[in-house]
Amino acid sequence: MSTRSESRDHSPDASPEKRASKKRKVLSCYACRSRKMKCDRIYPVCGRCQKTGRADQCTYDPRLLEELPVNSDGHAEGAQSYAPPEHGSGPVSSDLLTWKLRMQERRIESMEKKLASLNGANDSYLDFPSSRFDDFEPEEPHLREEMMFRGKGFKTQFHGSTSALSSLATFGELQAFTREAIISHGNFGRIREDFIVFRNRRKAILKERRLKMHGSDDEIYALVPDKSVVDREAALYFRTWETSYRILHEPTFWKQYHAFWERRTNEEASASFAAVLIYVVAVTKCLEPKEDNVFVGDSSADREAALDLIESGDAWLLRQNRKHLTLQFFQLHCLSLLAKRVNNLKCKQDWVACGDVMRLAISSGLHRNPKPLAIGRVSEYDREMRRRLWLTIVELEAQSSLDCGIQSSVCGLYYDVQPPSNIPDEAFSPETHQIPASRPVEHFTSASFQNMAARSLPLRLHLLQLLNNPTTDMHYTDVLHYDGQLTSLLSSSPGWTDPRAALPLALLELQLRQYLLIIHRPYARLAAKNQRYSYSFTACIDVAAAMLASYESLISKGILAVNHFRSDILRVAATLAQVVYYNCPSTTAQEPAPTMPTPASDTTKPPQAHTPELKIPHLPTNNFLAATLCTTAINLLEKARQLFEHKITRLGTGYMEYWLVCAALGMMPATDQPATSISSIMNVAPDDFRSRGKKALDRVTSHCYRVLSMQKDPENSFASSLRTTITVASPVTPMSNAGGHAGAPPMAYGWDESMPTLLPGASGMAGALAEGKGLVGGAFDGLEDMQVDLSGWAFPDFWAFDIPNGGF
């Protein structure tokens, strides 16, 4: 008969683990327990060990770290007041996590105190702990948000940080320079009245013309030019824009084109295709240099013709039903956006119009991959065209958002549509059942630009959202990080040798380099005060030179599309002017312009909140690198002025921006007067402020006379009255050295003879001067040029571009 113990030993549940006694948890620290002293059980160091100097010996049972809660004072409760967590009970409670965090903080604090005491005993000149240098963080500058907010009530206009106008709005010295220059040398009282009359007359004509537009099919048919004209314009369109922003399928277009002229299609399809032809002609109307370019008032005749086509096309497009969307419907909307932007029409409404088309695309699912969602309902041809149109809309909307300083609609949007295949248009058609494999990126096709642009799109959208968020706390290390990413993308750009690739390659570089200018400009302005930002100073000059070189290369090839389409020149000019001005020592102007009001001044306008002190910059004398960079930047700024003059000469718009560029050039330091020291600069009388303002004004007035001399109807009442007004207001003055800055080469008849001239008619200015007509200023309606709500501005304030800092 077995004993009770033997019975327990042979039971099924008996095991060595169960028989082993459980070791009790030690609640006190081991140091107090070994000394049989009372422990207050405060972790990580109890009070007794802390007082006796044995903090390094105070350790607890590790099993307590996962089970014991603590009171608010950090005192561990008795073992009987808590139980260990059950197996699989879920995540650890927040109280336990807080307790563990506090324990770690106290332990770290204790170790830091001990380390500090040891370092204090062994401190010497050559024995510094590495942590002192590892913990060093350079102080970040406080950068104010750059934005422009104009108007009152609900008639306001906003431009965010990435807008070129916002950077000009914070350049208070340029505003002061333009205001004082106009007050000193411009008698625009009667000119202002003439412009008001002309503006009202032009608006009345446009309003009357819009009332007559019904958007009917007959109007669209009547506006289509002759076939010989359309042949030339359509071929130019496919050589330029269809190598980058893909909207039309070339083989399909030419097939419909021939059918259109032969009247083989039904009337509805013919009207839609007629609208396509109207937009194509409007897009290409001003894309080539023209020997006999003429003006109608302030706008070129070709631009006026393009505006008529666009207005009629939009009126017809508004009448179309949006319920039944087709491929041609989206193509027409994209062509409308492209035509208006190329001709600088309705610039203030561009971001809203792009957003409208973007929402149409999203509501139609263009942002999603239709292959798994609509099996058998979307053909291979439609699938490829959806990809192309989606990226075209995204690129147009993203660039418009950047120019306006507003976040894009794509920021934060989930989209999984694949980039277009890198195949030519001839490789697929509406009858294609299987799209060919995409070709290598080194092989240029009409879809290569979109294929490459899609690679940098996530980074560009991220930067667009980051830069236009006022709450973003970006440090200079972040700037260098994004600089590395953008530079890496630029270096991976394919070296296409196809002649058609000139425009796509330029666009790929420009859409990345513009972000480099934006992120580096605020720090480049501080390079003179902190050498840490010298790299940003150098980067801005290098990026500006590369961007201007791209524009010069395109214009030398007769490609004006990019210069008309983008606002990079204004951004580059604003960046160069600010970087040079704030990195040069300056002296206060000795002869400031008088501030008495002119007859055209608005005496009811309240005084400005802040007027920056007018100072004349000089090249640095104690920093050779800074002096070299500033000299290079001034030369680049003159190139920017010439490139911008090409734009306004061909289009007849953008006059106020041109005046700002000329004024910025007039503010720059002289480059032909070397100085040996700062003291010598301070003792020499600064350049005459009045002459600087006059040089800037002469640039604008000379171009204005050129516009008047090329009027389509020289005897029209507006041109005649304006000539009479300006002859009285602006007497004949010699124009020696009418350049934008001191030391510029002498100018003949007010413009640079070395500058390549688009229009031979500009030489007629010499004869006009010989007849005593003088230099005239203002043959344009600049009040409609900028993407700013300028209604209600007094004319002198418009020229002064006076944006008080207090408005922010």
Side-chain angles (χ1 to χ4, degrees):
M1 192 171 178
S2 61
T3 64
R4 187 178 301 175
S5 60
E6 291 176 342
S7 172
R8 285 199 300 266
D9 292 342
H10 294 85
S11 63
D13 297 333
S15 63
E17 290 77 11
K18 291 193 69 176
R19 291 198 310 270
S21 61
K22 224 179 214 184
K23 188 176 180 180
R24 291 182 59 188
K25 299 181 180 67
V26 180
L27 304 181
S28 301
C29 71
Y30 286 133
C32 292
R33 182 178 177 82
S34 64
R35 292 175 175 82
K36 299 185 182 297
M37 306 293 291
K38 185 178 180 179
C39 182
D40 57 10
R41 303 173 184 176
I42 295 179
Y43 192 89
V45 181
C46 70
R48 185 173 298 276
C49 291
Q50 184 76 27
K51 293 179 181 179
T52 57
R54 294 191 295 268
D56 57 325
Q57 301 177 14
C58 186
T59 57
Y60 284 88
D61 191 334
R63 290 176 294 173
L64 294 175
L65 303 182
E66 300 179 357
E67 301 176 4
L68 300 184
V70 292
N71 294 329
S72 58
D73 59 353
H75 190 282
E77 298 179 355
Q80 70 277 6
S81 62
Y82 48 76
E86 299 181 1
H87 179 70
S89 59
V92 183
S93 66
S94 60
D95 293 337
L96 185 58
L97 293 176
T98 304
W99 175 59
K100 290 183 178 180
L101 180 61
R102 290 183 61 187
M103 288 191 299
Q104 295 299 328
E105 288 176 350
R106 292 189 63 180
R107 170 159 285 185
I108 293 172
E109 181 181 358
S110 176
M111 295 175 66
E112 287 177 345
K113 288 180 180 179
K114 183 177 179 180
L115 182 63
S117 62
L118 294 175
N119 290 337
N122 302 323
D123 198 5
S124 65
Y125 178 75
L126 298 177
D127 187 17
F128 288 100
S130 60
S131 61
R132 295 190 179 184
F133 302 100
D134 295 339
D135 296 339
F136 172 75
E137 292 184 4
E139 183 179 357
E140 294 290 336
H142 175 69
L143 301 178
R144 189 184 63 171
E145 178 192 0
E146 293 186 350
M147 61 95 170
M148 188 174 73
F149 189 84
R150 292 290 298 178
K152 58 184 179 179
F154 286 92
K155 200 170 186 180
T156 55
Q157 193 77 20
F158 173 80
H159 288 265
S161 299
T162 58
S163 172
L165 295 178
S166 297
S167 63
L168 288 172
T170 57
F171 194 7
E173 292 79 4
L174 177 61
Q175 302 166 27
F177 180 85
T178 56
R179 180 174 57 251
E180 297 298 332
I182 289 296
I183 294 176
S184 298
H185 304 285
N187 184 4
F188 285 95
R190 294 180 59 187
I191 301 175
R192 174 177 177 269
E193 299 300 327
D194 283 345
F195 272 100
I196 291 177
V197 173
F198 174 65
R199 181 183 60 180
N200 293 337
R201 184 190 312 167
R202 183 178 180 183
K203 286 185 175 180
I205 295 174
L206 291 176
K207 184 177 180 180
E208 183 180 356
R209 187 185 304 169
R210 291 192 185 102
L211 291 176
K212 294 180 181 179
M213 292 180 183
H214 302 290
S216 62
D217 294 351
D218 294 336
E219 292 179 359
I220 296 298
Y221 281 123
L223 288 172
V224 177
D226 295 337
K227 186 175 183 301
S228 59
V229 176
V230 183
D231 288 346
R232 182 178 65 255
E233 302 295 344
L236 175 61
Y237 170 78
F238 280 100
R239 289 198 310 270
T240 53
W241 292 117
E242 282 296 335
T243 60
S244 51
Y245 299 118
R246 296 312 317 273
I247 300 176
L248 302 176
H249 183 249
E250 188 169 3
T252 304
F253 171 84
W254 290 116
K255 181 179 180 181
Q256 295 176 349
Y257 182 78
H258 296 304
F260 173 81
W261 293 107
E262 296 175 3
R263 305 296 185 186
R264 292 180 178 176
T265 57
N266 56 58
E267 186 175 354
E268 181 181 355
S270 296
S272 300
F273 192 76
V276 171
L277 296 181
I278 286 177
Y279 281 121
V280 167
V281 174
V283 167
T284 58
K285 199 68 176 176
C286 301
L287 288 191
E288 287 184 317
K290 196 171 183 180
E291 297 292 335
D292 56 345
N293 189 48
V294 292
F295 285 77
V296 178
D298 61 321
S299 180
S300 69
D302 287 336
R303 179 172 178 265
E304 286 297 303
L307 299 188
D308 290 340
L309 295 176
I310 296 171
E311 291 280 355
S312 301
D314 286 352
W316 180 87
L317 196 55
L318 285 175
R319 296 187 59 184
Q320 308 309 306
N321 194 343
R322 291 193 172 192
K323 291 183 179 180
H324 307 289
L325 303 182
T326 62
L327 169 62
Q328 204 165 58
F329 179 85
F330 283 104
Q331 290 174 332
L332 287 167
H333 276 279
C334 290
L335 287 170
S336 176
L337 292 176
L338 185 62
K340 282 183 279 194
R341 190 175 299 183
V342 170
N343 293 283
N344 287 218
L345 172 66
K346 297 182 179 179
C347 296
K348 292 185 292 184
Q349 304 175 21
D350 182 63
W351 183 78
V352 177
C354 287
D356 185 34
V357 179
M358 172 64 71
R359 283 157 180 78
L360 279 174
I362 294 175
S363 64
S364 298
L366 264 65
H367 64 300
R368 300 301 304 272
N369 184 7
K371 188 172 183 178
L373 302 178
I375 301 176
R377 289 179 290 165
V378 180
S379 66
E380 292 292 332
Y381 171 80
D382 288 342
R383 190 180 304 166
E384 186 66 22
M385 293 303 298
R386 287 168 67 97
R387 295 172 180 173
R388 296 183 174 192
L389 285 172
W390 167 251
L391 270 183
T392 297
I393 296 171
V394 168
E395 289 292 342
L396 291 175
E397 201 263 354
Q399 187 61 43
S400 179
S401 300
L402 182 79
D403 292 336
C404 292
I406 305 175
Q407 295 183 4
S408 170
S409 302
V410 191
C411 295
L413 175 71
Y414 175 79
Y415 61 93
D416 59 356
V417 59
Q418 298 297 316
S421 302
N422 188 27
I423 55 176
D425 287 6
E426 295 78 12
F428 71 103
S429 67
E431 293 77 24
T432 299
H433 297 289
Q434 183 65 38
I435 296 294
S438 182
R439 302 185 182 183
V441 69
E442 295 77 15
H443 184 87
F444 179 77
T445 68
S446 56
S448 295
F449 167 80
Q450 288 191 325
N451 197 274
M452 286 296 300
R455 303 186 179 187
S456 65
L457 182 62
L459 176 61
R460 289 185 284 126
L461 291 176
H462 173 68
L463 285 174
L464 183 60
Q465 183 179 19
L466 198 68
L467 294 170
N468 287 311
N469 186 354
T471 63
T472 298
D473 187 17
M474 181 180 289
H475 292 177
Y476 192 60
T477 53
D478 301 323
V479 172
L480 298 179
H481 170 72
Y482 291 121
D483 173 270
Q485 289 186 309
L486 291 168
T487 305
S488 177
L489 288 170
L490 283 168
S491 62
S492 63
S493 179
W496 296 319
T497 57
D498 194 304
R500 300 174 301 163
L503 191 148
L505 278 175
L507 285 176
L508 285 175
E509 292 187 2
L510 292 173
Q511 67 184 9
L512 292 173
R513 295 190 190 276
Q514 63 183 352
Y515 283 98
L516 288 172
L517 271 186
I518 294 172
I519 64 176
H520 279 295
R521 182 180 54 80
Y523 298 93
R525 294 172 47 170
L526 306 174
K529 300 179 181 179
N530 192 335
Q531 291 295 320
R532 182 190 181 201
Y533 308 124
S534 296
Y535 172 72
S536 291
F537 190 5
T538 307
C540 281
I541 307 302
D542 181 64
V543 171
M547 295 178 74
L548 294 179
S550 297
Y551 276 90
E552 284 186 315
S553 176
L554 291 176
I555 290 179
S556 65
K557 298 175 183 178
I559 303 175
L560 309 182
V562 179
N563 196 14
H564 295 176
F565 179 73
R566 297 174 61 90
S567 59
D568 294 316
I569 302 299
L570 182 62
R571 188 184 305 278
V572 167
T575 300
L576 292 174
Q578 293 185 57
V579 168
V580 172
Y581 188 88
Y582 291 116
N583 282 281
C584 288
S586 57
T587 56
T588 304
Q590 292 184 357
E591 297 183 10
T595 57
M596 71 283 292
T598 62
S601 300
D602 186 4
T603 58
T604 62
K605 185 177 179 180
Q608 301 299 333
H610 174 70
T611 302
E613 186 179 10
L614 293 175
K615 294 184 178 181
I616 298 177
H618 303 277
L619 289 178
T621 57
N622 58 350
N623 191 327
F624 177 76
L625 176 61
T628 303
L629 290 175
C630 289
T631 303
T632 304
I634 294 172
N635 295 331
L636 293 175
L637 188 55
E638 170 61 22
K639 283 188 178 181
R641 184 201 65 80
Q642 295 179 11
L643 290 170
F644 206 91
E645 190 171 22
H646 275 277
K647 178 177 180 177
I648 64 175
T649 303
R650 187 65 182 92
L651 290 178
T653 184
Y655 296 99
M656 194 186 84
E657 295 114 314
Y658 182 65
W659 157 237
L660 294 176
V661 173
C662 292
L665 189 59
M667 293 177 62
M668 295 298 99
T671 58
D672 61 341
Q673 297 178 358
T676 58
S677 65
I678 290 293
S679 59
S680 64
I681 292 178
M682 301 302 293
N683 294 329
V684 174
D687 295 346
D688 183 11
F689 176 79
R690 294 173 179 266
S691 64
R692 286 174 172 261
K694 183 178 182 304
K695 290 172 185 177
L697 286 170
D698 286 346
R699 282 288 193 185
V700 181
T701 54
S702 62
H703 183 80
C704 295
Y705 186 83
R706 196 186 312 181
V707 172
L708 279 180
S709 66
M710 294 185 292
Q711 288 295 310
K712 185 176 182 180
D713 181 12
E715 302 303 325
N716 70 77
S717 58
F718 167 70
S720 300
S721 63
L722 197 56
R723 286 194 187 96
T724 304
T725 300
I726 299 175
T727 301
V728 175
S730 302
V732 180
T733 54
M735 283 198 60
S736 60
N737 192 15
H741 61 282
M747 311 300 293
Y749 309 120
W751 74 85
D752 189 353
E753 289 183 338
S754 63
M755 184 187 71
T757 305
L758 290 174
L759 308 171
S763 59
M765 187 175 183
L769 285 173
E771 297 174 7
K773 292 184 178 180
L775 294 174
V776 296
F780 46 85
D781 183 11
L783 298 174
E784 301 296 334
D785 291 334
M786 296 291 287
Q787 299 182 33
V788 187
D789 187 1
L790 299 176
S791 60
W793 281 24
F795 193 73
D797 295 330
F798 160 73
W799 280 108
F801 195 62
D802 187 16
I803 303 174
N805 294 331
F808 300 147

